[in-house]
Amino acid sequence: GFTDWKIYNSVEWEKFVHTYHLFLAGQIPAVDADTSSYIAGIDQFKKDAQTGNLPAFSMLEPVWIAKVGTTSYHPGGDLAWGERGLNEIYEALKTGPAWNETLFIISFDEHGGIFDHVPPPYAENPWPNDVNDGFRYDMMGVRVPTILISPWIKEKTVFRSPTAVAYDSTSILATLLHWHGIPKARWGLGDRTHNAPTFEGVFQCSSPRSSAPSFTPPYDK
């Protein structure tokens, strides 16, 4: 029943918008019938941020693949493009009228082959019957960075889960569902999401900070 959201994509893959065609196409008839209301380009996101016209939730896709200029930070590519693209998004949000009501989450879907010295911990099985060759998907993978940006977060904050359950990617899902007031009985996204800690504890400021950092993005790799 929630319609106040949009996917902003940076590149099409085989003439498809990646996230929509992988996960949404055929799922919600109202969206399939009116994709223009739910899908736009990353330049439109910057305009919407500047004019205060962002939806309640925005999903941003980087440039996944290109001969040059990928912004997904994939190892082996020139990371400067990602730094510049990310800074443009941040500046559009920071200088827009809704900055004090915005949480900007930056995360990654995989580690890209980079070594991690911390052994992956065990975790809640995502679905009760998930098993392949004896593996129940009850272990985390290697760690990926996740950054939360908001004027309600204190400077230099490093935060961890306040419970015995560690933060993972499903914490983003759980936080969204919780903030939209959807009862857990209706989440339907598996046991791991059901038990994931949410992000409320990171907001420790009593009022939004009046200053925000500015960055000089790299000009070459």
Side-chain angles (χ1 to χ4, degrees), residues 182-200:
I182 301 174
K184 277 195 173 184
R186 290 180 52 205
W187 284 14
L189 291 175
D191 291 348
R192 188 172 293 179
T193 303
H194 186 87
N195 291 288
T198 53
F199 290 140
E200 287 80 13

Side-chain angles (χ1 to χ4, degrees), residues 157-180:
T157 293
V158 177
F159 67 104
R160 291 176 174 83
S161 170
T163 74
V165 180
Y167 286 122
D168 68 13
S169 297
T170 61
S171 293
I172 300 174
L173 302 177
T175 299
L176 282 170
L177 291 161
H178 177 60
W179 287 2
H180 275 298

Side-chain angles (χ1 to χ4, degrees), residues 14 29 32 49 75 83 111 148 185 199 205:
E14 296 291 335
D32 292 335
E83 292 283 270
H111 68 300
L148 271 59
F199 290 140
C205 294

Side-chain angles (χ1 to χ4, degrees), residues 15-131:
K15 299 182 179 180
F16 292 130
V17 174
H18 199 58
T19 297
Y20 169 71
H21 284 277
L22 273 181
F23 303 112
L24 280 180
Q27 303 281 340
I28 309 172
V31 174
D32 292 335
D34 184 23
T35 54
S36 62
S37 293
Y38 298 97
I39 298 175
I42 200 71
D43 289 336
Q44 185 63 48
F45 172 85
K46 297 171 190 175
K47 293 177 183 176
D48 290 346
Q50 287 284 282
T51 56
N53 289 314
L54 285 176
F57 173 70
S58 301
M59 168 76 179
L60 309 183
E61 292 187 13
V63 178
W64 305 102
I65 187 168
K67 291 183 178 179
V68 293
T70 56
T71 60
S72 62
Y73 286 85
H74 198 283
D78 182 355
L79 303 185
W81 290 95
E83 292 283 270
R84 291 198 291 266
L86 186 59
N87 193 65
E88 289 175 3
I89 292 169
Y90 165 68
E91 285 292 330
L93 289 169
K94 184 182 74 172
T95 57
W99 175 239
N100 284 348
E101 290 78 46
T102 297
L103 171 63
F104 182 26
I105 301 177
I106 305 164
S107 193
F108 297 81
D109 69 331
E110 58 187 41
H111 68 300
I114 305 300
F115 175 76
D116 187 352
H117 68 282
V118 176
Y122 282 91
E124 190 78 31
N125 189 260
W127 297 94
N129 297 321
D130 274 355
V131 60

